[in-house]
Amino acid sequence: MPRPALAQVTAYALALLSLLTALPASAQESRRPSHCIAIADAAPGLQYLHKAAWTDPVPEYSVRIQYLGHAAFLIQTRGGLNAVTDFTGYIGNVPMIPDVVTMNHAHSSHWTAAPDPAIPHVLEGWGEFGQGIDHYLDLGEMLVRNVSTDIRSSYGGTEERGNSIFVFEVEGLCIGHLGHLHHEPNDEQYAALGRLDVLMVPVDGGYTMALDGMVRVVERLRSSVIIPMHWFSGTSLERFVADVSDTFPVERRDGPEIEVSLRELPAQPTVIVLQPQWLRE
């Protein structure tokens, strides 16, 4: 991946500095620093690993990602942590209780008002109207944080900071879930996201944002693994694949899951199409 121009690096650095200085001194001292918020390029020559059942042990230095459905993914660590994105209260006919769930309130299919009280960490991607929310959950093996984004309100306006992009940092990987993104991030938001090795991207083409804008987001982030989500009949999925196929290779999987490690990611950004499947025994 080519290094950014000096002006862009400077802009990123200033944006990152403003984010850090805005934190209380106590927060800056106690927080584990994000390894994803960095200007330096990622290590070259990376490839990906292949799939395994969600009940199997996760290989060393790896993370398992399963596409459950709509915008929901299960992220599993070697140490046994389970995180679910855009949690609606249902992950399949299994008794597993996730350790952490994230939610966005753009639509009811991205959150639940009654999450199981047994879930230790329920992270809402919104706060008071227009105020947003900030998460920085350090679980040791996994760090979960968010970058607030705007959403369209139900009356055609804009709710500032009403949704979130969630980032999961685990095994040296930076895994980003764009959620119900309604606009292209600004430079400050891109800087706050940092490097994203794996990206879940909504490709519906309208409920979130137009495909040409989403393609620009994907091309700017240049994640090693790009997983389309939030597609319905498949028409928008195929349009997205067609739009990016001249830039990125595309791989299609028969199943819902993939295992990734920092040492074995694709050597160039690659779109990997997974088939959604709820968890089952």
Side-chain angles (χ1 to χ4, degrees), residues 191-224:
L193 288 172
R195 187 188 86 244
L196 295 181
D197 303 300
V198 180
L199 182 70
M200 294 88 149
V201 54
V203 298
D204 56 89
Y207 292 100
T208 52
M209 56 186 287
L211 278 179
D212 57 348
M214 198 64 77
V215 169
R216 286 194 294 271
V217 173
V218 171
E219 289 178 342
R220 175 157 177 174
L221 289 171
R222 294 192 64 83
S223 303
S224 296

Side-chain angles (χ1 to χ4, degrees), residues 15-78:
L16 178 57
L17 181 61
S18 67
L19 289 171
L20 294 176
T21 55
L23 292 172
S26 58
Q28 295 183 45
E29 293 171 359
S30 60
R31 283 185 173 184
R32 170 161 62 106
S34 165
H35 69 265
C36 302
I37 304 177
I39 297 174
D41 291 341
L46 306 178
Q47 297 179 352
Y48 64 82
L49 294 176
H50 292 278
K51 67 179 185 177
W54 74 273
T55 54
D56 291 344
V58 178
E60 190 175 14
Y61 307 121
S62 300
V63 180
R64 179 178 300 128
I65 299 171
Q66 175 163 339
Y67 186 19
L68 301 177
H70 202 59
F73 288 83
L74 170 65
I75 302 172
Q76 295 181 288
T77 72
R78 178 172 171 80

Side-chain angles (χ1 to χ4, degrees), residues 37-219:
I37 304 177
I39 297 174
D41 291 341
L46 306 178
Q47 297 179 352
Y48 64 82
L49 294 176
H50 292 278
K51 67 179 185 177
W54 74 273
T55 54
D56 291 344
V58 178
E60 190 175 14
Y61 307 121
S62 300
V63 180
R64 179 178 300 128
I65 299 171
Q66 175 163 339
Y67 186 19
L68 301 177
H70 202 59
F73 288 83
L74 170 65
I75 302 172
Q76 295 181 288
T77 72
R78 178 172 171 80
L81 288 177
N82 296 299
V84 176
T85 68
D86 281 36
F87 180 68
T88 63
Y90 181 77
I91 58 175
N93 61 346
V94 295
M96 188 259 282
I97 300 294
D99 298 284
V100 55
V101 298
T102 64
M103 300 190 297
N104 275 304
H105 77 162
H107 296 291
S108 59
S109 53
H110 295 259
W111 72 292
T112 175
D116 191 325
I119 300 173
H121 305 284
V122 177
L123 307 185
E124 298 175 342
W126 66 95
E128 295 296 325
F129 188 89
Q131 298 301 308
I133 196 167
D134 293 308
H135 294 294
Y136 209 90
L137 177 63
D138 191 345
L139 299 176
E141 190 181 17
M142 175 186 287
L143 173 66
V144 186
R145 57 185 178 86
N146 75 305
V147 175
S148 290
T149 61
D150 300 344
I151 63 168
R152 295 183 295 272
S153 69
S154 56
Y155 300 103
T158 298
E159 180 182 348
E160 295 183 358
R161 297 171 59 84
N163 264 341
S164 288
I165 297 171
F166 281 93
V167 180
F168 304 82
E169 303 187 16
V170 56
E171 294 291 356
L173 288 163
C174 308
I175 302 169
H177 185 282
L178 292 183
H180 213 275
L181 185 63
H182 288 180
H183 64 90
E184 295 183 48
N186 57 35
D187 286 343
E188 184 177 4
Q189 289 166 327
Y190 275 119
L193 288 172
R195 187 188 86 244
L196 295 181
D197 303 300
V198 180
L199 182 70
M200 294 88 149
V201 54
V203 298
D204 56 89
Y207 292 100
T208 52
M209 56 186 287
L211 278 179
D212 57 348
M214 198 64 77
V215 169
R216 286 194 294 271
V217 173
V218 171
E219 289 178 342

